[in-house]
Amino acid sequence: MSRPVSTSATSVSALLIITSLLAWSTKEADSAGRISSWSIMQDGTPFLKYYVQAGLTAAYLGELISPLNSTQSTFGQTKLFAFNVTEGEDATSRLLGSMRGYTVQSSATSDYHSVEVEVLEYNDGSLNGTISLQGIVTVGKTNEIAVVGGTGDFRGIRGYAVITFISSSDTLALYYHELFVN
């Protein structure tokens, strides 16, 4: 006759197995050079951080579709973009890749909500691939959007990104991105 196993003992055993597997997979990925560029939070969650140098001149940001009603609002205005991604705030800091995508203004109010789809092309010499992000953003605010996939070293990635507006001038807006992945 078998003896019943306590629920707490089973939970502890499962937690130890999962923790061991995570430690092993992190060690294996690190030895393969796949996560050396990731920062690790106290709870063990990996995250990637970088700056987006958003050029505001015609050479960087072009209107694809005009607003639906240009006399009332910019609702429906669609813009394509291609921005540099750097390691630091300064535009001359180490180049890590580019951020490409589009925005569609999705509100007729002055707070400028828009749907944004972006693809990060990233290569820091250790990690190489793309990360796809999408969500609703409000200009000049801190936004949280979804990390929905990737290629190369980021294949199968899921999580979320926190995008923080840092500053802007007549020609450049600076954003800080932090990607948290599961």
Side-chain angles (χ1 to χ4, degrees), residues 47-60:
F47 74 100
L48 188 67
K49 54 188 176 182
Y50 55 87
Y51 291 87
V52 175
Q53 310 284 338
L56 302 177
T57 60
Y60 294 101

Side-chain angles (χ1 to χ4, degrees), residues 62-68 74 76-80 104:
E63 186 175 273
L64 178 64
I65 299 172
S66 300
L68 299 178
T74 56
Q77 181 180 45
T78 304
K79 293 187 176 187
L80 294 173
V104 180

